[in-house]
Structures are given as C-alpha cells and as structure tokens.
Amino acid sequence: MGPHHHDLRLYVAGTGAKSLRAIRIITRLCEAELAGRYRLEIVDVYRHPARAVEDQVVAIPTLIKWAPGSVKRLVGDLSHEARVRSGLGLAA
Amino acid sequence: MGVTEKNQTERIAELEHRLAEAEETLEAIRQGAIDAVVINGPTGEQVYALEGPDHPYRVLVEEMHQGTVTLDPDGLILYCNRQFAAMVKTPVEKVIGFRIHLFLTEDEEPAFSALIATAANGHSQGELNLLAGNDGLVPVLLSLNKLEMSGIENLCAVVTDLTEARRNEAIVKEEQLSRLILEQTAEPVIVIDACGKILRAGEAARRLAGSNVLFQDFSAAFQISDQEGSVTFSRLLSGVRSQRGWRSVEVTMNSRQGQAYALLLSASPLWSPGRELLGCVLTLTDITHRKLAEEELARQAAALAQSNSDLRQFAYSASHDLQEPLRHLAIYTELLQQKYEGKLDLEADQFIQRTIEAAHRMECLLKDLLSYTHAADSPQGAAASADANAVLAKVLGTFEQRIAREHAIITSDPLPALRVHEVHLSQLFQNLISNSFKYHGNAPLKLHIGADHAEDGTWRLSVEDNGIGIDSRYHQQVFGLFKRLHGSSRYTGNGIGLAICQKIVQRYGGKIWVESTTGEGSIFRFTLPGEDSPYAKA
C-alpha cells in the first residue's frame, strides 16, 4: 500500500438493500477512479459484529476512509455521488 | 497567541469535526439510508435490522446446504453465504465485492451469460462448472431468480453442488456399460461368485453351455478339463489367486449335447476394496475350428513331406543306378575308339566318336539331375541370418581372375541380411553371375547387383548385365530343366543353373524371373525373406 493509496472499509449488513447498493457503488467507483491504488475491505456486521464496535460504527452501511488524509466516515447507501467523491477526496 | 489558546482552537476544531460526523449519522438514520444499527447490549454486540424480522431467513440462508449468491446485473457478487464460499474454496472476503466471472472458465462464460439473459424473464436454471480453489472445478446447478431491490434488478442464485450426483451417475453408467458388454460380446463371458455360483453369463456363454446357466454351479454347467484333469471351481479359484492366474489356457469341454470343444480359458479375480475375493470373471474363447484346421494342416504337411521324400529317393536312386551302366557304356565305347580308330571306315570312326560324346553328355546330365534333386535341400531347417554382402564378395572372389582378364565392371547396392542358408545364397549368386559371364556380348561385362525392399518385408534382389539378352518368348523356358537356347558349340553348360536357382528361391517362398530383350542385356530378379520377415520358413 503506497502512501497515496486509498484504504477503505465498508461495513454492511448481510443482504440488506442499502448495503448491497453501497457495495455496488463503491466497487464501481474504486475500479473507475482508483484502479490499482486502493484497498477495499467489506465487513459483514452479521458475521463480525465486534469489529463494528471496535471501529465505533453505529449505523450500517458505513464507509470509513482511513487514508489518504484524515479519517472520514460516510453513513448510508452512498447514493449521493457528490458527497462520496468529496469524502474520498476525489474531484467532483 | 499563547499555548493554551492554540490548544483550544485545536480542540474546538476536533469537536466540530466529531459533531459533524455525529450529525451526519443521525441525518442518515432520519433519512432511512441505513439497514441496521449496532448496539453494545448487555450480552455483547447486537445488530438491529431496521427492515423487519429477517432473522430466521438470514439463518436459513447462512446455514442451508446449498450455496447462494446475490449478483448485480453485471455479475458483481454483492453477497454470498458460507456454503458458496466453501464450494469455490475461497474465503468470503475474497468473494464479496468481486465479479462471479472470477469463478468461471472462459468456455463457461457463454453459458452463464445465457442464464443471466433468461433470468431477466424471471427464472433460469442450468448446469455449469465453477472454478474452485487453485486448480479444481466443481460441477453445479445454478438456479437464478430476478430480485428487484431498491430499483436495481439484482439476481439471486442458488448454487447446488452436483459432485455427489455426478459420481453416482457415473457409477450407474458403468454398470450399464458392463452389462451391455457382457451380453453382446461374441466370446462367452461368465461371472462367478466366491462359492462357484454363476452370477452373470452373456448370451454367448449360455449358447456354449447349451442352457441358461445363471445361478447354477459352475462345475456342473461347464464340464471343462485341461492337461491336468478336470477344471473344478476350486482349481479355478486357486489359479486365480496365484501369480500365474489363468491366461489363455487350452482346455477341452464336453457340452450337454455331447459336442466336444477346444477352448482357451482366461480368468481374472474380482477383489473387494478390502482385498477379499468376491469372485472371478471367466472368458472362454472357442478355438475348436482353429484346432481342427491346425490338425488338418499338420496332416497335409506330413503327407507332403513324405511325398517329397519319396520323390527325392526315386530321383536319387534312378540317377545313381543309371550312372553305372552309363559308365560302362562310356568306357567300352572309348576302348572301341582306342582299338579300332582308323581301322574301320570313316563313318565308323564318326559313329564311335558321336557315341562317346553322347555318353559323356548323358553322364553330365545325370550328374546335373542329381545336383538339381539335391539343390536347396541341405541344410535342412530354418536358416540363420546371412549377410548378402559377404556372400557376394566371396562368390565374386571365385571370378577374380576372369574379372581382371576381361576388364569386367562389377557394382552393387548395399545388400541386406537375409534369412537364407549361406550356401544357397552363394549358389544363387554363383549361377547367375556365371551365366552373365557366359552369355556376355562383345563389350566388356558390366554387372550390377541390386536390392530393394518389397512391402511385405521380403527383399527383391537383382543381377543385371549387359550381355546378349533373352527374347521374351523364352522368359519362362529358361528356368526349365535342361532347356538350353543355344547350341552346345558356342556356350557350355547343361542349362540347369537357372532351374537350380528357381528351386532354391522357391524353397524360401520367393519367386525368380527375368526382364530382358535380345541384344540389350538381362536383369534377373528374385525375392527372398529378410532377416525379420514373417514369411521366413524352412
């Protein structure tokens, strides 16, 4: 992982509709804009509930951007494109 | 600005940041943009779903025996259960968020695309192979259903592992196959259990036995004996257990109808996985006809050998017994000549001279007849391999002086090894080359000995010269006994050389013939078995 690579973690809840949508959007976005320069970890809160608490995640889905730059959290299905882009530090 | 003031500004910034995040979260919850909330309850972390009581369904999906995946229309795996991950031998984290095409081989992609396309109408189902782990493939049944979720038409697939089913199918097919083979084979095939009871008998076996022998005792149904006596079931078993086994053993059988058969018996053991003898499989090949034919052939060969022997005897004694009176004839006529030459009239002298010549000629003829009779006879038996190059060299050695004197040019191809007695090959070359020298024209003799391979492993040799040639009318005759085309004045010899050559070549199953035109030389060709020829016979 390079210094400018995006380190992302997406918390989902099984087959919840918003979760599936979030998966779809973020994988698409990363493939399109950050190909080869990102790591995306998808954590199912039904399988690993303790991790959610560790990361202080309350609402699912939540996307956490650990790097680059300061830590940023986005809650919801990520359907608001402008917000997601800004949150990830990508051009609008 | 002081240190404490700086701290305060930083603290305020941090608080504002955290506040913003908390407000965002609350806003998201208020907007209904989430699925669930994680709460640290009294018994640990709890996940509270906001969309109704899906707990039993989730358990079902997670625990069910089949695999399931939720796909978006492009094949992105949005969700998979544990079973699916196990089926494709990949951890869940490496499945969710990846495309299902990762688990499809190139040739399966068209089938999969077809399934997705059909699922657009609601449902589709098909069999595929998925890549499992590093190198494996797992055969699966994919059942796809359209699933509309918040405006996107996802697909829900139930994936059933067909490995077990396929294995059972294979076993059933094999069983069918072996039954068909057993029934249809022209050879009698019998399956016997460990107690000697016939479990299976093909049609040919039933015909041989003369009745339906299923479930009968083997020894009762088939009365078989070999050199050592009756082939009982216990002998069969001990043979089958031993290293030796029963492999195409010649046996005889008397059928219920009283017919006698000659058979080849082969038997193989059937072992259980625990090395227990379950029974054996027997084949009986009917060689009755073959044996009869063999016996007939042997009989004919013996008769022929006897006949040949008789002929030889006859020819030998005839020529032998004729020699003595002939000798007397020659002696007394010579004595006559000695005593009365010039004392009688001229005619008388001529008559006596002609008689002497005739007697001498007859002696030669008899000698030649004797040698013809014996030609190709000894050595008896099969020949070892003879190197034709060496034999030719030796024969040419005997013509050395003549070759030098007449400036003859001799060439040859590399010659093969032949399965012919050296003495016979030597005689062949001797006679043919001698003829070439005898019948060469005015030009110095040019002689070429060649060899080429025929299709069936025999060799075709040739002796080619530039001599006086032979008119096509006589191409057959020259091989006859005592046939001479030219008067005794110009060329010597009794004309038996080629007849002997023919006898020799025929002994080895070959042929000899000549290609020639008057004045244009001759090529004598003959075929003989090579070292490895299957036709080499004594």
Side-chain angles (χ1 to χ4, degrees), chain B residues 391-512:
Chain B
V391 173
L392 178 65
K394 247 199 276 179
V395 168
L396 286 174
T398 66
F399 288 96
E400 210 180 301
Q401 290 194 337
R402 208 159 166 188
I403 293 171
R405 203 172 53 222
E406 299 181 23
H407 307 289
I409 302 172
I410 323 273
T411 53
S412 71
D413 291 343
L415 302 178
L418 300 166
R419 198 157 284 286
V420 167
H421 287 290
E422 260 192 39
V423 62
H424 294 154
L425 190 58
S426 181
Q427 219 171 344
L428 264 173
F429 281 137
Q430 181 77 33
N431 289 1
L432 290 171
I433 294 174
S434 172
N435 276 359
S436 294
F437 271 105
K438 230 187 280 184
Y439 298 105
H440 85 282
N442 296 320
L445 176 64
K446 267 213 334 242
L447 194 63
H448 178 76
I449 293 97
D452 67 354
H453 228 131
E455 313 85 44
D456 56 356
T458 59
W459 282 89
R460 203 168 60 160
L461 289 97
S462 58
V463 175
E464 183 175 356
D465 68 41
N466 61 341
I468 60 174
I470 305 170
D471 188 291
S472 59
R473 275 180 288 170
Y474 306 115
H475 285 183
Q476 300 272 49
Q477 271 188 39
V478 285
F479 295 101
L481 263 183
F482 303 132
K483 289 288 194 288
R484 299 196 62 234
L485 300 182
H486 305 276
S488 45
S489 50
R490 269 198 85 190
Y491 303 101
T492 53
N494 271 326
I496 205 176
L498 287 177
I500 290 183
C501 286
Q502 184 173 66
K503 198 163 187 231
I504 292 175
V505 166
Q506 277 174 351
R507 168 181 164 152
Y508 292 100
K511 279 191 339 211
I512 183 167

Side-chain angles (χ1 to χ4, degrees), chain B residues 151-294:
Chain B
I152 302 169
E153 289 198 354
N154 290 333
L155 292 158
C156 182
V158 177
V159 187
T160 317
D161 190 339
L162 294 177
T163 319
E164 195 63 44
R166 287 275 163 87
R167 216 197 332 264
N168 292 339
E169 231 179 73
I171 291 177
V172 168
K173 279 209 188 109
E174 259 179 54
E175 164 82 25
Q176 268 185 0
L177 181 66
S178 57
R179 279 219 190 142
L180 275 175
I181 293 175
L182 196 68
E183 258 320 293
Q184 290 190 10
T185 180
E187 308 247 299
V189 179
I190 307 158
V191 181
I192 313 178
D193 74 6
C195 303
K197 192 163 71 160
I198 297 177
L199 294 180
R200 293 241 200 298
E203 207 217 311
R206 301 199 292 273
R207 243 184 300 127
L208 181 66
S211 67
N212 190 343
V213 291
L214 274 174
F215 307 123
Q216 282 180 36
D217 208 48
F218 170 73
S219 312
F222 292 95
Q223 311 263 355
I224 295 181
S225 25
D226 67 354
Q227 294 176 312
E228 296 170 32
S230 173
V231 178
T232 58
F233 179 64
S234 60
R235 269 192 69 200
L236 201 66
L237 262 194
S238 59
V240 137
R241 275 186 211 270
S242 75
Q243 268 291 61
R244 191 183 25 96
W246 287 87
R247 287 192 198 109
S248 295
V249 178
E250 274 199 36
V251 297
T252 53
M253 185 189 98
N254 286 312
S255 77
R256 293 242 183 93
Q257 285 75 19
Q259 255 195 298
Y261 289 90
L263 307 162
L264 287 178
L265 172 68
S266 294
S268 309
L270 276 170
W271 300 105
S272 76
R275 283 309 279 191
E276 201 192 299
L277 187 66
L278 295 171
C280 64
V281 181
L282 238 98
T283 4
L284 294 164
T285 313
D286 193 340
I287 53 167
T288 320
H289 288 285
R290 193 186 86 188
K291 279 227 93 71
L292 284 174
E294 277 173 13

Side-chain angles (χ1 to χ4, degrees), chain B residues 5-216:
Chain B
E5 279 176 355
K6 194 159 177 240
N7 275 354
Q8 275 185 339
T9 327
E10 276 178 15
R11 273 219 81 212
I12 292 172
E14 197 197 317
L15 284 168
E16 278 181 337
H17 179 74
R18 281 171 63 187
L19 183 59
E21 279 198 341
E23 281 184 333
E24 268 178 37
T25 305
L26 282 173
E27 186 57 32
I29 293 173
R30 222 175 277 130
Q31 296 278 352
I34 61 166
D35 290 323
V37 182
V38 180
I39 291 178
N40 219 343
T43 49
E45 301 73 36
Q46 296 255 352
V47 179
Y48 279 85
L50 295 178
E51 292 228 345
D54 64 339
H55 179 76
Y57 296 103
R58 260 192 302 105
V59 172
L60 172 67
V61 161
E62 236 354 85
E63 300 304 318
M64 70 192 201
H65 185 63
Q66 287 142 314
T68 175
V69 269
T70 307
L71 305 168
D72 86 345
D74 295 319
L76 180 69
I77 300 174
L78 304 175
Y79 173 80
C80 82
N81 73 348
R82 248 199 335 224
Q83 271 312 322
F84 181 78
M87 233 183 257
V88 293
K89 299 200 172 82
T90 310
V92 172
E93 306 84 57
K94 288 276 184 278
V95 177
I96 297 181
F98 294 84
R99 291 185 80 220
I100 186 130
H101 300 78
L102 225 65
F103 303 99
L104 293 171
T105 59
E106 248 182 68
D107 18 298
E108 294 285 34
E109 288 202 20
F112 183 73
S113 308
L115 281 175
I116 295 213
T118 323
N121 299 331
H123 174 75
S124 73
Q125 188 167 290
E127 287 183 23
L128 278 185
N129 289 310
L130 293 179
L131 288 167
N134 281 328
D135 271 328
L137 278 179
V138 54
V140 298
L141 176 66
L142 263 188
S143 182
L144 288 164
N145 275 287
K146 206 170 49 169
L147 203 63
E148 208 245 278
M149 293 172 99
S150 27
I152 302 169
E153 289 198 354
N154 290 333
L155 292 158
C156 182
V158 177
V159 187
T160 317
D161 190 339
L162 294 177
T163 319
E164 195 63 44
R166 287 275 163 87
R167 216 197 332 264
N168 292 339
E169 231 179 73
I171 291 177
V172 168
K173 279 209 188 109
E174 259 179 54
E175 164 82 25
Q176 268 185 0
L177 181 66
S178 57
R179 279 219 190 142
L180 275 175
I181 293 175
L182 196 68
E183 258 320 293
Q184 290 190 10
T185 180
E187 308 247 299
V189 179
I190 307 158
V191 181
I192 313 178
D193 74 6
C195 303
K197 192 163 71 160
I198 297 177
L199 294 180
R200 293 241 200 298
E203 207 217 311
R206 301 199 292 273
R207 243 184 300 127
L208 181 66
S211 67
N212 190 343
V213 291
L214 274 174
F215 307 123
Q216 282 180 36

